[in-house]
Amino acid sequence: MTKYIRRAAALCALLLLALLVNATRVQVVDSKAYDSNPANRRKDIARYDQARGDILVGGRAVTGSRDTGEQLRHERTYTNGPLYAPVTGFASQVYGTTFLEHAEDALLAGTDPMLAPLPLWNDLARTRSPGGKVVTTVEPAAQRAAFAGLGGRKGAVAALDPATGKVLALVSSPSYDPERLAGTGSAVTGAWAALNADPDKPMLNRALSRTYPPGSTFKVVTAAAALDAGRVTDLDAPTRSPDPYTLPGTSTSLANEVDGCSDASLRHAFQWSCNTVFAKLGVDTGQDALADTAKRFGFDGPGPKVPSPTARSTFDTATDDAQLALSAIGQYDTRATPLQMAMVAAAVAGGGSVKAPHLVDRTTSADDDIVATTHTRTLQQAMNPRTAAQLRELMTDVVEKGTGTNAAIDGVTVGGKTGTAQHGVGNAGTPYAWFIAWARKPADPEPSVAVAVVVEDAAADRSDISGGGTAAPIAKAVMEAVLGA
């Protein structure tokens, strides 16, 4: 009998060992395969079992969660969804996450280890912390002013604090309501199909993800390169710039929209946006110097993360002199996001220093304990501080008595640069209207806002498009909102 008991015990031990081996295989060796299996819904069920943390603008939540009682319980809700969609993005049970909802997903979902009371606590206790909060840098008044200014026209606005890199406004138009993509069912799939089929591309974040020819706003970069290189030493000295200007090596003539550009000084050429002066100045300064300055402003590098990734702005570094002349006035293959051009304006306002733009001021737990804080970070020095001071002088002239008078604000020093960017085959497309600017109150030592506006406005008449006429009033409204003017 004892022999049979030993055999039975050995068999039981063997079976137990086999169970342990199999459990180890399932939970350790094959765990990733089971987790990633589309048929496994446990992860999704757990993800939406608790409310998601909120994104805050101006101290108030612009997101929320609604308990549906369904398997994927909590659906995302949005306050003023179209207004803040370029900032928040969407969180969808079906289509995933974008922008801040994606970049800060772990914190908002409560899976970030920094939310746990102790390291590895959630793994050991098999629990999940309540979703944290994302406190943005966006100023509600500036956001509303930018959104209202665009008025549904295709375009974008980006506004920054030059001293810190904080994003004060980020608007893309036309927009959409991200709440339409929250939840499951035919309404969500229908909304997704409709938004993707819309020719106006409302889900495209034009402020971060689309690049445009910057047109004459790029003349700020060209002027910085020429001043830094010593190509121009006196803002009021005449330049040897014919009008019209024949592009080097070609029979193509470049003309101006205004009179008085022949041999104009840099001050006059900047104030009235003389293409001939800046095209020749770009060639005289040289490709290496111009490309180096553009790179220091942020061109030709990876787009900054805010923390959402942004498109790469480019300045072609392999051109002949004719192409370089066009590149120097923001045409040919020169392309920039509105955020990049806001960084250009901010660098001028900030003494030549380019600060890293950021949308998140801090992240906290559900109980408002600080998880992380974003600190001001300098990316590079785009130009000599003396050059930045000269450009501030030139940009002020543009607003006080040049092409940008529509951006003037009573009692405030405003500097700006207009731009009208040609595009399309044979430049047949309706020009893009650009305006970049900065503003400073008399009592403030330095400018406290820099802004870039681009308006596509494909339905408008070509003659009605200009940076000063179309984009400058929008920039003015945003700056007034930030300054409280």
Side-chain angles (χ1 to χ4, degrees):
M1 179 65 74
T2 303
K3 178 173 67 174
Y4 294 112
I5 293 174
R6 285 201 301 271
R7 289 178 178 175
L11 179 61
C12 288
L14 184 62
L15 292 173
L16 180 61
L17 179 62
L19 286 172
L20 292 173
V21 170
N22 187 59
T24 301
R25 178 184 65 82
V26 170
Q27 296 185 23
V28 179
V29 179
D30 294 337
S31 60
K32 290 185 178 180
Y34 286 116
D35 281 343
S36 59
N37 192 314
N40 180 12
R41 291 178 59 82
R42 292 173 64 104
K43 200 170 183 179
D44 289 336
I45 292 170
R47 174 182 174 84
Y48 296 103
D49 189 53
Q50 73 174 26
R52 192 171 173 82
D54 283 323
I55 298 172
L56 279 63
V57 175
R60 295 185 177 183
V62 296
T63 58
S65 291
R66 177 174 53 242
D67 190 346
T68 65
E70 298 177 358
Q71 192 176 59
L72 303 181
R73 286 181 55 183
H74 290 91
E75 294 180 1
R76 199 58 152 160
T77 62
Y78 295 88
T79 303
N80 295 324
L83 175 62
Y84 292 112
V87 176
T88 63
F90 63 76
S92 169
Q93 282 95 327
V94 180
Y95 300 108
T97 54
T98 57
F99 299 112
L100 277 188
E101 292 276 29
H102 180 75
E104 300 291 350
D105 182 61
L107 181 118
L108 293 167
T111 59
D112 190 328
M114 294 297 291
L115 294 172
L118 295 170
L120 303 178
W121 172 262
N122 287 344
D123 290 338
L124 295 173
R126 294 183 177 274
T127 59
R128 185 156 50 125
S129 302
K133 300 176 185 177
V134 176
V135 181
T136 71
T137 59
V138 173
E139 294 283 349
Q143 188 80 0
R144 289 193 297 269
F147 190 77
L150 286 170
R153 292 173 294 177
K154 284 190 281 188
V157 178
L160 301 172
D161 181 336
T164 63
K166 290 182 178 180
V167 178
L168 305 177
L170 194 72
V171 169
S172 176
S173 178
S175 190
Y176 71 103
D177 188 353
E179 193 167 327
R180 296 176 63 191
L181 301 177
T184 59
S186 59
V188 172
T189 55
W192 177 260
L195 288 169
N196 280 284
D198 191 328
D200 287 339
K201 300 185 183 301
M203 288 197 296
L204 171 65
N205 192 327
R206 289 172 163 85
L208 300 180
S209 303
R210 181 164 189 179
T211 60
Y212 301 84
S216 292
T217 59
F218 190 79
K219 291 172 183 174
V220 173
V221 179
T222 302
L227 289 166
D228 267 358
R231 178 60 59 180
V232 176
T233 56
D234 184 348
L235 300 182
D236 297 299
T239 59
R240 296 178 180 177
S241 306
D243 182 11
Y245 171 59
T246 302
L247 298 179
T250 76
S251 59
T252 302
S253 291
L254 184 67
N256 298 292
E257 297 292 330
V258 295
D259 296 327
C261 290
S262 178
D263 295 329
S265 68
L266 184 62
R267 186 186 302 278
H268 180 90
F270 198 94
Q271 183 178 327
W272 295 105
S273 205
C274 296
N275 285 333
T276 52
V277 173
F278 280 91
K280 184 175 185 299
L281 188 60
V283 175
D284 291 345
T285 302
Q287 186 177 82
D288 290 345
L290 195 50
D292 180 64
T293 300
K295 186 174 182 178
R296 283 187 274 118
F297 272 104
F299 287 80
D300 292 323
K305 292 186 176 181
V306 293
S308 306
T310 62
R312 182 173 179 261
S313 298
T314 57
F315 178 83
D316 199 331
T317 57
T319 60
D320 59 30
D321 282 349
Q323 294 163 342
L324 178 61
L326 295 175
S327 297
I329 59 172
Q331 297 288 166
Y332 190 56
D333 283 342
T334 306
R335 300 195 59 95
T337 62
L339 178 66
Q340 174 61 63
M341 294 314 296
M343 291 168 64
V344 170
V348 174
S353 177
V354 180
K355 306 299 183 185
H358 56 277
L359 260 173
V360 177
D361 182 68
R362 63 188 182 279
T363 54
T364 73
S365 67
D367 296 326
D368 295 321
D369 294 326
I370 299 293
V371 173
T373 301
T374 305
H375 299 287
T376 298
R377 183 166 58 92
T378 300
L379 295 178
Q380 57 262 327
Q381 187 75 18
M383 69 196 109
N384 187 290
R386 182 175 181 274
T387 296
Q390 290 175 304
L391 281 170
R392 280 163 69 161
E393 185 179 333
L394 294 176
M395 292 179 76
T396 302
D397 287 345
V398 169
V399 175
E400 290 183 351
K401 49 192 175 184
T403 58
T405 54
N406 283 334
I409 302 172
D410 290 340
V412 174
T413 302
V414 178
K417 184 67 191 78
T418 55
T420 305
Q422 308 290 339
H423 68 100
V425 178
N427 290 333
T430 303
Y432 299 135
W434 275 96
F435 193 73
I436 64 173
W438 50 263
R440 176 182 65 83
K441 280 188 169 183
D444 296 336
E446 298 293 336
S448 54
V449 58
V451 62
V453 178
V454 64
V455 181
E456 298 179 31
D457 210 352
D461 187 276
R462 277 181 70 102
S463 62
D464 292 335
I465 292 289
S466 72
T470 304
I474 301 172
K476 174 183 177 178
V478 173
M479 292 186 290
E480 285 179 323
V482 173
L483 299 174

